[in-house]
Amino acid sequence: MRKIYRSMLLFAVLAALVGINFSCSDDDAPNGGQPTIKYVRITKPESSDSLLTGAFQGNLIAIVGENLEGAREIWFNDQKATLTPTYVTNKTILVSVPSEVPAEISNKLKIIFADGQTLLHDFKVQISEPDVASMNCEYVPAGAVATIRGNYFYEPLTVTFAGGVKGELVLVEDDMIQVRIPEGANPGQITVKTNFGETKSNFWFRDNRNIFLSSDPFTGWWNEKYVVKKPGEGDPVAINGNYIRVKETIAGWAWKEVAGGPPDAMGAISKNVPDEAILKPSDYNLKFEVNTLKPYNNNMLKINVGLSDFLTDAYQWAPPIDTKGEWKTIVIPFEEITGSYEKAGVKVAVNPNGYYTRLLFHGGGELAADISLDNFRVVPKVLKK
């Protein structure tokens, strides 16, 4: 009987202690048990003192506060984040900022708790301005559709060409824009603008800078018969006046000089390679346009540019490439070209009298060629602000 009485007494005491604990828990909890956010920081332990007032899409952040364990949803602007229960504790929540672009921007972080409470905190989702990287082809006639590559292309957006005219949008994806070229588009940078900023391209549309080989008009020692002046049926469309078209079978190790010559034969165009490119090649690219109606899949095209004499085995622009009848811009870092010359024992140097130029097919394997080329130029990689 005494054992039963003692057991009942012990149970009553424990029940009373539990009741006291529960009745006091809200009072003892920080902020009276109400959820609070003290700050937001990055998640790297070594940078735990780096506090944030905003973050870019997709970034993982730590929300630090009190009484956060009841969190069930987190919203950034009007976009709901993915919440992992194991990343939610009383004092912290780890969550990634949604990658989706908000339609309505409040610059608020909102937490919804299991009991229906909400908690707001000032927090800006930093959405990147457009990144304009390249065009499939930098020469596109008015009325045709150009493809621009990059990132952060979020509608609504505009594409503006030098001359102040805007293109007609055909297709917009996060990393690609297709735009119809308007009348009045001039050579120069293009500008892509979204609600989150605007960016000018480092490249020029219809780039007419520093062209050292164009056939407008033909100059040099070789081979005027390859110059297309009035495209006919079956010829690629002209994109910038005359262009070079090689349509024949080239035997392996045949010597086929397509274009070029020494400075006195090339004329003033031979001086168009910038001194800065010769002195600091890493700041420049060699660019040209190519159009293949048959694949360039054999042999070798050897390019001379910025030289004081001809050099046979450098630079070698190797196959394969097949543009399937469309013009495409080729980009080669200029330091790769000058580096190939140095490996052959020739260092480029500034020459105010101009430079030797040559396009030479010379390599192993027979090539059934139908390849067109235009607008050989050496231009800056990054435009000075």
Side-chain angles (χ1 to χ4, degrees), residues 213-219 227 229 241-244 259 269 373-374:
L213 181 60
S214 72
S215 303
D216 294 302
F218 168 81
T219 60
V227 177
K229 299 177 180 178
N242 302 338
Y243 62 86
I244 298 165
I269 199 171
L373 304 155
D374 204 1

Side-chain angles (χ1 to χ4, degrees), residues 255-274:
W255 187 275
K256 181 64 65 175
E257 288 157 327
V258 170
D264 59 356
M266 294 300 294
I269 199 171
S270 72
K271 301 178 182 180
N272 283 356
V273 178

Side-chain angles (χ1 to χ4, degrees), residues 131-280:
D131 173 24
V132 184
S134 64
M135 295 181 73
N136 282 12
C137 181
E138 293 177 6
Y139 277 82
V140 180
V145 175
T147 299
I148 301 169
R149 302 285 179 181
N151 212 337
Y152 314 117
F153 295 147
Y154 301 135
E155 294 189 274
L157 64 74
T158 58
V159 178
T160 305
F161 295 83
V165 293
K166 291 182 171 60
E168 174 195 347
L169 298 177
V170 176
L171 177 66
V172 178
E173 298 178 353
D174 286 356
D175 60 355
M176 185 268 288
I177 302 169
Q178 289 186 340
V179 58
R180 195 173 305 281
I181 305 300
E183 296 287 347
N186 294 330
Q189 293 170 276
I190 63 172
T191 302
V192 178
K193 183 177 181 179
T194 71
N195 286 340
F196 310 106
E198 70 176 40
T199 303
K200 288 182 178 292
S201 62
N202 273 315
F203 60 84
W204 273 32
F205 174 68
R206 295 180 186 161
D207 196 344
N208 56 7
R209 300 168 299 165
N210 309 335
I211 293 177
F212 65 88
L213 181 60
S214 72
S215 303
D216 294 302
F218 168 81
T219 60
W221 279 356
W222 323 281
N223 235 315
E224 189 171 7
K225 69 178 183 179
Y226 292 132
V227 177
V228 178
K229 299 177 180 178
K230 294 181 179 180
E233 185 177 353
D235 289 326
V237 63
I239 54 173
N240 186 31
N242 302 338
Y243 62 86
I244 298 165
R245 184 182 184 188
V246 181
K247 185 182 179 183
E248 61 185 75
T249 298
I250 302 173
W253 300 110
W255 187 275
K256 181 64 65 175
E257 288 157 327
V258 170
D264 59 356
M266 294 300 294
I269 199 171
S270 72
K271 301 178 182 180
N272 283 356
V273 178
D275 291 352
E276 295 86 352
I278 299 296
L279 296 170
K280 195 174 181 181

Side-chain angles (χ1 to χ4, degrees), residues 10 65 125 194 206 210 270 275 282-283 353 379:
L10 179 60
V125 177
T194 71
R206 295 180 186 161
N210 309 335
S270 72
D275 291 352
S282 59
D283 287 348
N353 297 318
V379 293

Side-chain angles (χ1 to χ4, degrees), residues 292-353:
T292 60
L293 293 176
K294 294 180 180 179
Y296 169 45
N297 57 8
N298 229 338
N299 216 285
M300 189 75 69
L301 181 62
K302 298 176 179 179
I303 301 173
N304 282 186
V305 51
L307 290 169
S308 295
D309 201 349
F310 296 120
L311 183 62
T312 296
D313 289 324
Y315 166 80
Q316 301 182 17
W317 185 54
I321 186 170
D322 185 10
T323 73
K324 302 185 185 303
E326 296 184 356
W327 286 100
K328 177 181 174 63
T329 297
I330 302 299
V331 182
I332 303 170
F334 197 51
E335 68 268 25
E336 289 187 13
I337 295 170
T338 59
S340 75
Y341 299 157
E342 289 184 10
K343 287 181 180 178
V346 176
K347 184 173 178 61
V348 295
V350 172
N351 188 345
N353 297 318

Side-chain angles (χ1 to χ4, degrees), residues 82-100:
T82 300
L83 195 59
T84 304
T86 53
Y87 290 171
V88 178
T89 70
N90 186 47
K91 294 183 179 292
T92 60
I93 300 173
L94 300 184
V95 65
S96 292
V97 178
S99 296
E100 294 79 9

